[in-house]
Amino acid sequence: MPLETLRRGMTLERFIAEEQRSFREARGEFTALLYQIALAGKLISREVAMAGLAEAFGLTGKINVQGEEVQKLDEFAQRTFVRCLDHCGHLCIMASEEEEHPIEIPPHYPAGDYVLAFDPLDGSSNIDVNVNIGSIFSIMRKKSAGERGTLEDILQPGSEQIGAGYLVYGSSTMLVYTTGRGVNGFTLDPSLGEFLLSHPDIRIPERGQIYSINEGNASRWDRATARYIEYIKENDSASGRPYSGRYIGSLVADFHRNLLKGGIFLYPADSKNKSGKLRLLYEANPLALIVEQAGGRASDGRRRILDIVPHSLHQRTPLIIGSKKDVEEALRFYRENE
Ligand code: P6P
C-alpha cells in the first residue's frame, strides 16, 4: 500500500464523495448504492476468509437456476447482497445469477431509480481449494414508467450501464469499479474495515503476453479459436510469442490478473456451449465496461459485448476480453472464419 495513499487516507467513501461532486449522478443515491455494495463485499470477504474454520465450505445439496451445485458461501453471498440492498431505497429491481426470476423490492420498502444485476459469488467451485473467487455487479438506470422495476429494466445493453465492478477475494480483498470515468481499485484493510485506494486509474496494457482459456475444451473449439490459440503459442520472439498460459477457472481472478498485467481471456462458443458459458448481464457486461474504461476490448467474437441487446435474464455469451491489440488480433481469426 503506497504510503502516499495511506497518508492521503483516500478511502472508498471519500473517493466516491469526491467523484460525486463532479458526477452527474450527484443526487447521492448512486453514491449510497455503491456504499451498500462495498458493505456486502466486506461481509462476504469476512465469511470467505473464515470459511475453512467455520465449516462454510461444501455444498448445500441444492442446485441453482444454472444447474450448478450451490455452495454454502454462494448462498451466504446471495443473502448478503439482497439484505444489504433490498431496503436501501435506491433500487427498483435486482437480478442475480442465483435466482431464476428478477428479485423485486418488497412493497414495504422504498424503491429507487437504479437496477442491480449481480453474480454474488463467481468461481464458487474453487471455494474448497482456497482459490480466488469474486462478486461481480452491474448498475443501470430504471427505464420503465412504474415505481417498481420490471424485466424490461434489466434487459438493457451493457452500453446502458452507469456503473460496474467486481470484488476479488484473494490474498487481499479488492473492489474494482467504474462509473464510466476510468477504473479504480481499492484494497480492503481488514483492521480498519475500510477499502483504501490502492490502484488509481487502472489501464490495461495495449498488448499482454498471457492467454487464458480452458484448453481442456480444445476438442470442442471452432476453427477460429483453434487457429488463434495455435498462433499465440507459436515461437516468434519478435511478436512476443509464445504467450504464457494462465487459467485459474475463476473468471474474476483471471480477469483481474489480465487487467493489471495485460493479456486475453477467452471463453468462446464451442460444440457443447453453443452460446458460450458465461452470462451476459452480470458477468460479461460489467467486465466489458471495466475493460473498455481501462483501454481494453470485449467481444463475443462478432459484436462488441456492450452492444448486445439481451433477450433473457441468464443469457450466455461467448467472451473474448482483455488488451486492445490482443482482442483485435483474435477477432481477425473470427472474422476470417465467418
Ligand atoms: P470452466 C466458474 O464456474 C465460471 O463461471 C467462471 O468463474 C470461470 O471463468 C468459468 O466458469 C470456468 O469454466 O468450464 O473452464 O471450468
Side-chain angles (χ1 to χ4, degrees):
M1 184 77 64
L3 197 55
E4 173 54 26
T5 303
L6 279 174
R7 188 178 298 126
R8 270 209 318 270
M10 185 53 82
T11 63
L12 173 66
E13 282 70 15
R14 191 176 139 208
F15 185 88
I16 297 175
E18 289 185 6
E19 193 180 51
Q20 172 188 314
R21 275 200 287 277
S22 60
F23 181 36
R24 55 204 161 106
E25 298 293 341
R27 288 172 302 167
E29 277 195 46
F30 185 78
T31 299
L33 179 55
L34 279 175
Y35 288 169
Q36 290 302 104
I37 292 170
L39 173 61
K42 292 178 192 175
L43 293 167
I44 295 167
S45 171
R46 186 179 62 185
E47 200 70 11
V48 167
M50 297 300 288
L53 303 174
E55 292 302 301
F57 284 128
L59 305 178
T60 60
K62 298 173 187 169
I63 301 293
N64 69 10
V65 64
Q66 317 293 339
E68 296 167 342
E69 289 173 325
V70 177
Q71 305 260 5
K72 289 177 185 174
L73 273 178
D74 277 328
E75 213 161 347
F76 174 84
Q78 169 66 14
R79 273 200 319 275
T80 300
F81 264 90
V82 173
R83 287 176 177 169
C84 284
L85 287 143
D86 68 351
H87 63 286
C88 67
H90 308 308
L91 296 174
C92 62
I93 198 163
M94 289 188 263
S96 167
E97 191 239 15
E98 292 293 330
E99 294 286 340
E100 183 173 0
H101 303 295
I103 303 166
E104 294 182 354
I105 303 303
H108 52 288
Y109 288 152
D113 294 334
Y114 298 102
V115 177
L116 179 72
F118 62 98
D119 183 354
L121 203 61
D122 176 77
S124 51
S125 55
N126 289 302
I127 292 174
D128 289 359
V129 293
N130 215 12
V131 164
N132 291 12
I133 48 184
S135 306
I136 312 171
F137 61 89
S138 166
I139 304 171
M140 296 167 279
R141 280 192 203 82
K142 179 160 73 79
K143 299 287 188 186
S144 62
E147 185 208 1
R148 302 281 154 167
T150 65
L151 183 59
E152 169 207 352
D153 292 305
I154 302 170
L155 299 182
Q156 299 182 51
S159 54
E160 291 297 308
Q161 295 175 101
I162 56 166
Y166 61 86
L167 290 123
V168 53
Y169 312 106
S171 51
S172 63
T173 289
M174 277 194 70
L175 168 64
V176 177
Y177 83 92
T178 182
T179 53
R181 300 146 46 86
V183 180
N184 292 283
F186 299 78
T187 299
L188 181 63
D189 179 333
S191 66
L192 298 175
E194 291 279 8
F195 280 106
L196 296 175
L197 181 65
S198 54
H199 296 68
D201 193 21
I202 296 174
R203 304 292 294 168
I204 186 169
E206 260 207 335
R207 184 183 286 280
Q209 291 209 291
I210 291 172
Y211 76 100
S212 307
I213 191 169
N214 185 339
E215 302 246 16
N217 297 335
S219 63
R220 303 200 293 254
W221 291 342
D222 62 19
R223 182 170 153 68
T225 303
R227 287 185 58 239
Y228 173 64
I229 299 301
E230 185 186 339
Y231 168 79
I232 50 174
K233 288 159 78 169
E234 286 171 356
N235 198 355
D236 175 38
S237 54
S239 60
R241 292 179 290 151
Y243 281 21
S244 297
R246 294 286 184 275
Y247 190 75
I248 300 175
S250 187
L251 173 60
V252 171
D254 279 318
F255 175 82
H256 182 68
R257 177 202 54 241
N258 292 1
L259 178 71
L260 298 185
K261 290 181 176 287
I264 186 169
F265 172 98
L266 304 97
Y267 208 112
D270 61 33
S271 57
K272 177 186 171 189
N273 297 298
K274 297 195 185 315
S275 299
K277 174 181 183 183
L278 302 176
R279 295 80 166 179
L280 176 62
L281 280 173
Y282 39 76
E283 290 177 333
N285 273 346
L287 298 186
L289 183 65
I290 290 170
V291 86
E292 287 200 4
Q293 282 291 312
R297 291 289 179 273
S299 169
D300 70 352
R302 290 186 299 112
R303 299 166 293 178
R304 178 175 174 247
I305 289 289
L306 296 183
D307 291 340
I308 299 174
V309 179
H311 52 71
S312 63
L313 209 50
H314 302 293
Q315 168 176 342
R316 298 176 191 264
T317 177
L319 181 61
I320 298 156
I321 189 169
S323 293
K324 175 176 180 291
K325 290 192 171 175
D326 287 314
V327 172
E328 288 172 349
E329 188 164 68
L331 293 181
R332 282 201 291 277
F333 287 78
Y334 287 90
R335 273 195 293 275
E336 286 166 14
N337 203 40
E338 281 180 349

